[in-house]
Amino acid sequence: MKKLRKMLCFVMILAMGFVGCSGLDFEVDDEKFIEESAAKISDEITSGQFVIDGVIYQFPMPLKDWLDNGWHVSSTYDNAADFRLDPYYTSNQFELFDEENKDYVQLTVYNDSDKAAPIEECMVYSLRMSTSEVDVVFPKGMTKRNNPEDILAAYGEPDAKGDSKNDLEAIYYFSDELGQCYVELDVIDNDYTENPFYRVYFGMISAEEYWNMTVAQKGVEETAEFCFDAAMKASFYADFEAYSEMSMDSLEGAQELYDTEVEYFTECLLYYIDITEEYITADVRNRVNAVSKEVLSKVKWDVKSVDVNAFNEGTITVTLYPTDFFYIIDEEMFVALDAFNTKYFDVDYETISQEEYDALEKEYTEQMVAVLEKNAALAGTLEPIECTYEVNLEDGFHLSDGAWDDVDDRIMDLLAEEE
């Protein structure tokens, strides 16, 4: 039984977090209102959260969330009511006004469906807010009146900065559940501007942009090492943070990858202890799954070297430390098997009833599963194995065909008999 490994799966379906709370118009100089608004949201600018008129928004979000709170598309667009965006297309920038036509924001939306859709069914892909046009409260109570020192004290050093030599253009990257995002905070750097924090951008980062940015920051070799390690942690440790950060898959996809690895090893264990399929109940499978998780959490690996050419093609050499679990259970498993066979040596399996036969199969199954459970905590690793695989990092992290299956089989010690 083999599973298909999806190493890179960039998903453009965006996720939303939104909480509504009625509020009145306010002046951003209202200290109490600022304090109350800030208390409703995260302290992290990378949460994507902010408050407008008492309502919490979180980027990325469906456009419908703005519309449901009284915002509307600018009346200057004659076709707004019946405009439909093609599948997987991003709109041009347009304006959204509040109920009083006083405040406005600029944004684009993305149709993440496979059919043309009205813009109210699309996701906000980018958002531009001028603090002179809309009163907004950000994490830790930052507003338009705050200066660069305030911003840096609140949010720390940015991941990147814009090209301005005079003003602060602080860029922070963050991962939404299904995509990579950024927020840029533009702040005038002087002592006499009344409202120095004048503009904010939120945006999604395409898979290609994020990959190129990562390679530029980390370098090809470090990126390859990071990606291999991220995939292995997701596969065997259920650690999805780095895997999700690299947009290799959504959190749900990462969980599915881990579950697939566990189920694969479980099938191998059930085959090894020779459990008949019809006696593998949900309880038996769950118990062996628990063993698989504990055993796989003990495997290890290291990236020894990465050697790529100018086209980002080459090899990655890794050291794998396979599980020793089969060696640990071997002797006890055969002792249990001999004891079972000795106990029922005189049984004529051709003449006993089905009920009696079922009872024997269930007893055998229970004894074998007990051997697995008893020894799971003792699992460690065998002597390391060095393996080299072809790798391509042109537009993502790709190992050669069959490489991931080979990694699985070696680290699970399923090739021992062949070698």
Side-chain angles (χ1 to χ4, degrees), residues 185-219:
L185 313 177
D186 295 345
V187 194
I188 296 173
D189 191 5
N190 61 46
D191 295 328
Y192 51 83
T193 300
E194 183 178 359
N195 296 312
F197 184 7
Y198 68 96
R199 187 171 57 204
V200 179
Y201 293 97
F202 281 97
M204 297 297 299
I205 306 173
S206 71
E208 182 179 0
E209 289 173 330
Y210 190 76
W211 178 257
N212 291 335
M213 180 180 70
T214 301
V215 172
Q217 291 177 345
K218 293 180 179 290

Short mmCIF file of all heavy atoms in Angstrom, two decimals, residues 185-219:
data_model
loop_
_atom_site.label_atom_id
_atom_site.label_comp_id
_atom_site.label_asym_id
_atom_site.label_seq_id
_atom_site.Cartn_x
_atom_site.Cartn_y
_atom_site.Cartn_z
N LEU A 185 3.05 48.67 6.96
CA LEU A 185 2.67 49.84 7.73
C LEU A 185 3.55 51.01 7.30
O LEU A 185 4.77 50.95 7.46
CB LEU A 185 2.85 49.57 9.23
CG LEU A 185 2.29 48.23 9.75
CD1 LEU A 185 2.61 48.06 11.22
CD2 LEU A 185 0.80 48.14 9.51
N ASP A 186 2.94 52.06 6.76
CA ASP A 186 3.68 53.21 6.27
C ASP A 186 3.55 54.36 7.27
O ASP A 186 2.43 54.82 7.56
CB ASP A 186 3.15 53.65 4.90
CG ASP A 186 3.41 52.59 3.83
OD1 ASP A 186 4.22 51.69 4.09
OD2 ASP A 186 2.80 52.67 2.75
N VAL A 187 4.70 54.83 7.78
CA VAL A 187 4.70 55.82 8.86
C VAL A 187 5.71 56.91 8.53
O VAL A 187 6.87 56.63 8.20
CB VAL A 187 5.07 55.18 10.21
CG1 VAL A 187 4.73 56.14 11.35
CG2 VAL A 187 4.35 53.85 10.40
N ILE A 188 5.27 58.17 8.60
CA ILE A 188 6.16 59.29 8.35
C ILE A 188 7.13 59.45 9.51
O ILE A 188 6.74 59.43 10.68
CB ILE A 188 5.35 60.59 8.16
CG1 ILE A 188 4.48 60.48 6.91
CG2 ILE A 188 6.28 61.81 8.06
CD1 ILE A 188 3.53 61.64 6.74
N ASP A 189 8.40 59.63 9.18
CA ASP A 189 9.44 59.68 10.21
C ASP A 189 9.88 61.12 10.45
O ASP A 189 10.91 61.57 9.96
CB ASP A 189 10.63 58.81 9.78
CG ASP A 189 11.62 58.61 10.91
OD1 ASP A 189 11.33 59.04 12.03
OD2 ASP A 189 12.68 58.01 10.65
N ASN A 190 9.07 61.86 11.19
CA ASN A 190 9.46 63.20 11.65
C ASN A 190 8.73 63.51 12.94
O ASN A 190 7.87 62.74 13.38
CB ASN A 190 9.21 64.26 10.57
CG ASN A 190 7.74 64.37 10.20
OD1 ASN A 190 6.88 64.41 11.06
ND2 ASN A 190 7.47 64.43 8.89
N ASP A 191 9.03 64.65 13.52
CA ASP A 191 8.50 64.97 14.83
C ASP A 191 7.34 65.98 14.79
O ASP A 191 6.83 66.36 15.84
CB ASP A 191 9.61 65.56 15.72
CG ASP A 191 10.70 64.54 16.01
OD1 ASP A 191 10.37 63.34 16.08
OD2 ASP A 191 11.86 64.96 16.15
N TYR A 192 6.92 66.38 13.60
CA TYR A 192 5.92 67.44 13.56
C TYR A 192 4.63 67.05 12.83
O TYR A 192 3.66 67.80 12.83
CB TYR A 192 6.49 68.70 12.90
CG TYR A 192 7.17 68.46 11.57
CD1 TYR A 192 6.42 68.38 10.39
CD2 TYR A 192 8.54 68.32 11.50
CE1 TYR A 192 7.04 68.17 9.18
CE2 TYR A 192 9.16 68.10 10.28
CZ TYR A 192 8.42 68.04 9.13
OH TYR A 192 9.03 67.81 7.93
N THR A 193 4.58 65.88 12.19
CA THR A 193 3.34 65.45 11.53
C THR A 193 2.34 64.99 12.58
O THR A 193 2.66 64.19 13.45
CB THR A 193 3.63 64.31 10.54
OG1 THR A 193 4.55 64.77 9.55
CG2 THR A 193 2.34 63.85 9.86
N GLU A 194 1.11 65.49 12.47
CA GLU A 194 0.09 65.19 13.48
C GLU A 194 -0.30 63.72 13.49
O GLU A 194 -0.47 63.11 14.54
CB GLU A 194 -1.14 66.06 13.25
CG GLU A 194 -2.22 65.86 14.31
CD GLU A 194 -3.41 66.77 14.08
OE1 GLU A 194 -3.40 67.55 13.10
OE2 GLU A 194 -4.37 66.67 14.87
N ASN A 195 -0.46 63.15 12.30
CA ASN A 195 -0.87 61.74 12.18
C ASN A 195 0.14 61.00 11.30
O ASN A 195 -0.09 60.77 10.10
CB ASN A 195 -2.27 61.64 11.59
CG ASN A 195 -3.32 62.26 12.49
OD1 ASN A 195 -3.36 62.00 13.68
ND2 ASN A 195 -4.17 63.11 11.92
N PRO A 196 1.27 60.61 11.88
CA PRO A 196 2.35 60.02 11.07
C PRO A 196 2.03 58.64 10.48
O PRO A 196 2.53 58.28 9.42
CB PRO A 196 3.52 59.93 12.04
CG PRO A 196 2.91 59.98 13.40
CD PRO A 196 1.67 60.81 13.27
N PHE A 197 1.20 57.84 11.17
CA PHE A 197 0.87 56.49 10.69
C PHE A 197 -0.26 56.66 9.67
O PHE A 197 -1.44 56.67 10.01
CB PHE A 197 0.43 55.63 11.87
CG PHE A 197 0.16 54.18 11.55
CD1 PHE A 197 0.42 53.61 10.31
CD2 PHE A 197 -0.38 53.35 12.53
CE1 PHE A 197 0.16 52.30 10.04
CE2 PHE A 197 -0.65 52.01 12.27
CZ PHE A 197 -0.39 51.49 11.02
N TYR A 198 0.10 56.77 8.39
CA TYR A 198 -0.86 57.26 7.40
C TYR A 198 -1.44 56.21 6.47
O TYR A 198 -2.45 56.45 5.81
CB TYR A 198 -0.23 58.38 6.57
CG TYR A 198 0.90 57.95 5.66
CD1 TYR A 198 0.67 57.65 4.32
CD2 TYR A 198 2.20 57.85 6.13
CE1 TYR A 198 1.70 57.27 3.47
CE2 TYR A 198 3.24 57.47 5.30
CZ TYR A 198 2.99 57.18 3.97
OH TYR A 198 4.01 56.80 3.15
N ARG A 199 -0.85 55.00 6.38
CA ARG A 199 -1.36 54.04 5.39
C ARG A 199 -1.00 52.62 5.79
O ARG A 199 0.05 52.36 6.39
CB ARG A 199 -0.78 54.36 4.01
CG ARG A 199 -1.36 53.53 2.87
CD ARG A 199 -0.88 54.09 1.54
NE ARG A 199 0.58 54.10 1.48
CZ ARG A 199 1.29 54.92 0.70
NH1 ARG A 199 0.66 55.80 -0.06
NH2 ARG A 199 2.61 54.87 0.69
N VAL A 200 -1.91 51.70 5.40
CA VAL A 200 -1.71 50.27 5.68
C VAL A 200 -2.11 49.47 4.45
O VAL A 200 -3.13 49.75 3.82
CB VAL A 200 -2.56 49.80 6.88
CG1 VAL A 200 -2.35 48.31 7.13
CG2 VAL A 200 -2.22 50.60 8.12
N TYR A 201 -1.28 48.50 4.12
CA TYR A 201 -1.61 47.54 3.07
C TYR A 201 -1.68 46.14 3.68
O TYR A 201 -0.81 45.76 4.47
CB TYR A 201 -0.53 47.49 1.99
CG TYR A 201 -0.38 48.73 1.15
CD1 TYR A 201 0.60 49.67 1.45
CD2 TYR A 201 -1.16 48.93 0.02
CE1 TYR A 201 0.79 50.80 0.67
CE2 TYR A 201 -1.00 50.06 -0.77
CZ TYR A 201 -0.02 50.99 -0.44
OH TYR A 201 0.15 52.10 -1.21
N PHE A 202 -2.70 45.39 3.30
CA PHE A 202 -2.73 43.95 3.55
C PHE A 202 -2.75 43.27 2.19
O PHE A 202 -3.38 43.77 1.24
CB PHE A 202 -3.98 43.53 4.33
CG PHE A 202 -3.93 43.80 5.80
CD1 PHE A 202 -4.50 44.94 6.32
CD2 PHE A 202 -3.33 42.89 6.67
CE1 PHE A 202 -4.48 45.20 7.68
CE2 PHE A 202 -3.29 43.15 8.03
CZ PHE A 202 -3.87 44.30 8.54
N GLY A 203 -2.13 42.12 2.09
CA GLY A 203 -2.16 41.41 0.82
C GLY A 203 -1.82 39.94 0.96
O GLY A 203 -1.17 39.52 1.92
N MET A 204 -2.31 39.17 0.00
CA MET A 204 -1.91 37.78 -0.11
C MET A 204 -0.66 37.71 -0.98
O MET A 204 -0.45 38.54 -1.87
CB MET A 204 -3.02 36.94 -0.74
CG MET A 204 -4.30 36.88 0.07
SD MET A 204 -4.06 36.09 1.68
CE MET A 204 -3.53 34.45 1.20
N ILE A 205 0.15 36.72 -0.74
CA ILE A 205 1.37 36.50 -1.51
C ILE A 205 1.18 35.24 -2.34
O ILE A 205 0.87 34.18 -1.79
CB ILE A 205 2.60 36.36 -0.61
CG1 ILE A 205 2.72 37.56 0.32
CG2 ILE A 205 3.86 36.19 -1.44
CD1 ILE A 205 3.81 37.42 1.36
N SER A 206 1.38 35.34 -3.63
CA SER A 206 1.22 34.16 -4.48
C SER A 206 2.30 33.14 -4.14
O SER A 206 3.35 33.46 -3.57
CB SER A 206 1.32 34.53 -5.96
OG SER A 206 2.66 34.88 -6.31
N ALA A 207 2.04 31.90 -4.50
CA ALA A 207 2.99 30.82 -4.24
C ALA A 207 4.34 31.12 -4.87
O ALA A 207 5.39 30.94 -4.25
CB ALA A 207 2.43 29.51 -4.78
N GLU A 208 4.32 31.59 -6.10
CA GLU A 208 5.57 31.87 -6.80
C GLU A 208 6.33 33.00 -6.13
O GLU A 208 7.55 32.92 -5.94
CB GLU A 208 5.27 32.23 -8.25
CG GLU A 208 6.52 32.50 -9.08
CD GLU A 208 6.20 32.83 -10.53
OE1 GLU A 208 5.00 32.86 -10.88
OE2 GLU A 208 7.14 33.08 -11.31
N GLU A 209 5.61 34.07 -5.75
CA GLU A 209 6.25 35.20 -5.08
C GLU A 209 6.87 34.77 -3.76
O GLU A 209 8.00 35.15 -3.43
CB GLU A 209 5.23 36.31 -4.84
CG GLU A 209 4.77 37.03 -6.09
CD GLU A 209 3.63 37.99 -5.81
OE1 GLU A 209 2.84 37.73 -4.87
OE2 GLU A 209 3.53 38.99 -6.52
N TYR A 210 6.12 33.99 -2.99
CA TYR A 210 6.62 33.58 -1.68
C TYR A 210 7.83 32.66 -1.82
O TYR A 210 8.79 32.77 -1.06
CB TYR A 210 5.51 32.88 -0.89
CG TYR A 210 5.90 32.65 0.55
CD1 TYR A 210 5.90 33.71 1.45
CD2 TYR A 210 6.30 31.39 1.00
CE1 TYR A 210 6.27 33.53 2.78
CE2 TYR A 210 6.67 31.20 2.32
CZ TYR A 210 6.64 32.27 3.20
OH TYR A 210 7.03 32.08 4.51
N TRP A 211 7.78 31.77 -2.79
CA TRP A 211 8.92 30.88 -3.00
C TRP A 211 10.16 31.66 -3.37
O TRP A 211 11.23 31.45 -2.79
CB TRP A 211 8.59 29.84 -4.07
CG TRP A 211 9.76 28.94 -4.34
CD1 TRP A 211 10.61 28.99 -5.40
CD2 TRP A 211 10.23 27.88 -3.51
NE1 TRP A 211 11.59 28.03 -5.28
CE2 TRP A 211 11.38 27.34 -4.13
CE3 TRP A 211 9.79 27.34 -2.30
CZ2 TRP A 211 12.07 26.27 -3.59
CZ3 TRP A 211 10.51 26.28 -1.74
CH2 TRP A 211 11.63 25.76 -2.38
N ASN A 212 10.03 32.56 -4.34
CA ASN A 212 11.18 33.36 -4.78
C ASN A 212 11.72 34.22 -3.65
O ASN A 212 12.94 34.38 -3.50
CB ASN A 212 10.79 34.23 -5.97
CG ASN A 212 10.51 33.42 -7.22
OD1 ASN A 212 11.02 32.31 -7.38
ND2 ASN A 212 9.72 33.96 -8.12
N MET A 213 10.81 34.76 -2.84
CA MET A 213 11.23 35.57 -1.71
C MET A 213 12.00 34.73 -0.70
O MET A 213 13.04 35.16 -0.16
CB MET A 213 9.99 36.18 -1.06
CG MET A 213 10.26 37.06 0.13
SD MET A 213 8.71 37.72 0.79
CE MET A 213 7.99 36.21 1.48
N THR A 214 11.52 33.51 -0.43
CA THR A 214 12.17 32.63 0.54
C THR A 214 13.56 32.24 0.06
O THR A 214 14.53 32.27 0.83
CB THR A 214 11.32 31.37 0.76
OG1 THR A 214 10.04 31.75 1.24
CG2 THR A 214 11.99 30.46 1.77
N VAL A 215 13.67 31.88 -1.21
CA VAL A 215 14.97 31.49 -1.76
C VAL A 215 15.95 32.66 -1.70
O VAL A 215 17.13 32.49 -1.37
CB VAL A 215 14.81 30.97 -3.20
CG1 VAL A 215 16.18 30.74 -3.85
CG2 VAL A 215 14.01 29.67 -3.22
N ALA A 216 15.45 33.87 -2.02
CA ALA A 216 16.31 35.05 -1.97
C ALA A 216 16.81 35.33 -0.56
O ALA A 216 17.96 35.73 -0.36
CB ALA A 216 15.55 36.26 -2.52
N GLN A 217 15.95 35.10 0.43
CA GLN A 217 16.32 35.37 1.82
C GLN A 217 17.20 34.29 2.43
O GLN A 217 18.19 34.57 3.10
CB GLN A 217 15.06 35.55 2.67
CG GLN A 217 14.27 36.81 2.37
CD GLN A 217 12.99 36.90 3.19
OE1 GLN A 217 12.54 35.93 3.78
NE2 GLN A 217 12.40 38.09 3.22
N LYS A 218 16.84 33.04 2.19
CA LYS A 218 17.54 31.92 2.83
C LYS A 218 18.71 31.39 2.01
O LYS A 218 19.64 30.80 2.55
CB LYS A 218 16.56 30.76 3.09
CG LYS A 218 15.47 31.04 4.10
CD LYS A 218 14.57 29.81 4.26
CE LYS A 218 13.47 30.03 5.29
NZ LYS A 218 14.00 30.10 6.66
N GLY A 219 18.63 31.55 0.69
CA GLY A 219 19.58 30.89 -0.19
C GLY A 219 19.04 29.52 -0.60
O GLY A 219 18.20 28.94 0.11
#
